[in-house]
Amino acid sequence: MTTDFARTRALFDLPEGVIYLDGNSLGPLPRGVRDRVARTITDEWGQMLITGWNRAGWMDMPARIGDRIARLIGAEAGHVVMGDTLSIKVFQALAAALDMRPDRRVILSDTGNFPSDLYMAEGLCGMLKQGYTLRTVAPEAVEDAIDESVAVLMLTEVDYGTGRRHDMPRLTAKAQEAGALAVWDLAHSAGATDVKVAEGGADFAVGCTYKYLNSGPGGPAFIYVAPRHADRAVPALSGWLGHEAPFAFDLDYRPGAGIERMRVGTPPVLQLAALDAALDVWDGVEIADLRARSLELTDAFIAGVEDACPDLDLATPRDHARRGSQVSFRHPEGYAIMQALIARGVIGDFRAPDILRFGFTPLFIGLDDVARAVAVLAEVMESRAWDRAEYRQRARVT
Ligand SMILES: *Cc1c(COP(=O)(O)O)cnc(C)c1O
């Protein structure tokens, strides 16, 4: 292993005494972000005013930073662009993919997908009318459900609830053999696993950056379009910054070259500055090392919890090939148990109806944190410390 994870850990600003196992939901603050955002505000926005679009390179940020993400997801340079939120990018990728199979009407997904992806698909079907439908099957049934009626296979590679990982190359190949396109959501893969979109054959891929890529709350999403589609894909959300010549102010829309057409409107410069600084942490990180380390951490957590907490049921696959970078356990009192853990400085989260979710992010979590988290969880279970009214009080965000 050539990656120095002690170095990357020192690049984060984490509160004292906290074991943060929720980097899969909101990544923590990399030290370099504060200064970088402050400089963007003071030196760029404050001093350059509108000239910052050119002088500070604001207008080029979506593609320049897209290239930094491309390395992390195994994409070809020049085929990833930043902007909007993930839900919007799901819509865009799906609309473009459907447009490439005009003779078919079915979007195939699975019941483990994140609801927003399914909602966006339903909304798009409703808007297109013409008989478009979303078909969802159990995650294990996806492969057999791919047939010649399917226009687009739309999957999230790693299940946000259970951490189960789909076999991207295999399902993509199967979809393409049946004449469909494959759209992959990498929300829980980018920065978490050894995802390889180009090698895996994905037609489109999308993902967010505030999870394992640590861009901060509300950080922008990314979209990848395979080079073979880049100059043909219809962007659907035809905003001015995806136009071939935005500053010609033509009255007609003409899509820009390649991935640029997937831009919509004004880029979120402050959030992009935060993301750019957050990505500095990845310099020197080998994705193969990240994956090996992640499996080592999740293996250790599974073994420790199963040994110490017999009442918790593992919801995450044991098979490495089928596991992302999180571990989930089921318990009917999962919400209260998680609140008791958070009160003791071990931060994970809860997903209805009964999932305790723990994200393992090698950039800042080590085996010592795993051992401490297991010990605290064991103490909470053993003493039933979770069994208090205050821990059952549900907050707006779980
Ligand atoms: C986190 C997540 C989202 C969230 O979408 P936003 O538009 O960024 O709020 C969508 N899809 C998946 C699969 C996710 O994991």
Side-chain angles (χ1 to χ4, degrees), residues 75-76 78-80 100 176 181-182 197-198 201-205 223-233 258-259:
E76 302 88 342
H79 292 276
V80 175
M100 290 180 173
Q176 290 167 350
L181 286 108
V197 292
D203 293 291
F204 294 85
I223 184 166
Y224 162 81
V225 181
R228 60 187 175 282
H229 303 313
D231 287 317
R232 289 196 302 137
I259 196 68

Side-chain angles (χ1 to χ4, degrees), residues 85-87 114 117 156 185 187-188 208 210-211:
T85 75
L86 177 51
S87 304
F114 190 79
D117 296 39
T156 295
D185 188 326
H188 293 273
C208 50
Y210 50 78
K211 291 172 181 161

Side-chain angles (χ1 to χ4, degrees), residues 278-303:
L279 290 172
D280 289 348
V281 176
W282 292 89
D283 293 345
V285 174
E286 292 297 332
I287 297 299
D289 292 346
L290 180 89
R291 177 66 175 156
R293 181 75 160 165
S294 152
L295 289 170
E296 187 183 5
L297 296 172
T298 53
D299 275 346
F301 188 71
I302 290 171

Side-chain angles (χ1 to χ4, degrees), residues 4 40 49 120 152 174 177 185 260 268 278 291 343 361 374:
D4 180 357
T40 304
L49 299 165
M120 294 311 278
V152 179
K174 179 102 199 265
E177 276 159 30
D185 188 326
E260 285 282 324
R291 177 66 175 156
T361 44
V374 169

